[in-house]
Amino acid sequence: MITKFITDVSTKFNPFSKRAKTCRIFLAQLPPNARQTMKINTKLLSRSSKEASTLSLKFKDGKEMQLDTEKLSIKDVMEEVDRHSRGLNRQVDLLGN
């Protein structure tokens, strides 16, 4: 997963819920130095909470993604993130910066 263009990660999930698996795996996939390069906000919900799990991402170009992690698998989320990151990487390569 290409993370160098992500500036902000916000998650909200119930860690005891089976449907929160995508959020948990996404956070685990972030590199060890992620807190130095991006802002990470995690809100853990109570065990009895009925709120849906969400994942919000902001990129260096200003694009914001709101992903419904209860409906998307980790593969789908990573595919969406990589698709946008590859586009940003292509722009950087073309500009020569």
Side-chain angles (χ1 to χ4, degrees), residues 50-80:
K50 300 295 181 196
E51 285 187 65
S53 297
T54 60
L55 175 64
S56 302
L57 302 169
K58 291 182 186 171
F59 291 87
K60 287 185 178 179
D61 67 342
K63 179 173 172 110
E64 294 185 24
M65 280 188 186
Q66 303 286 333
L67 302 168
D68 183 6
T69 57
E70 291 193 355
K71 294 179 181 172
L72 298 173
S73 70
I74 187 62
K75 184 178 178 182
D76 297 333
V77 170
M78 291 175 75
E79 189 175 297
E80 288 292 321

Side-chain angles (χ1 to χ4, degrees), residues 23-70:
C23 277
R24 292 192 312 263
I25 294 173
F26 183 84
L27 290 173
Q29 293 294 321
L30 293 176
N33 66 345
R35 292 210 179 264
Q36 297 170 356
T37 59
M38 62 184 84
K39 185 177 176 186
I40 301 174
N41 296 317
T42 304
K43 181 179 179 189
L44 298 178
L45 302 172
S46 67
R47 185 182 293 251
S48 61
S49 177
K50 300 295 181 196
E51 285 187 65
S53 297
T54 60
L55 175 64
S56 302
L57 302 169
K58 291 182 186 171
F59 291 87
K60 287 185 178 179
D61 67 342
K63 179 173 172 110
E64 294 185 24
M65 280 188 186
Q66 303 286 333
L67 302 168
D68 183 6
T69 57
E70 291 193 355

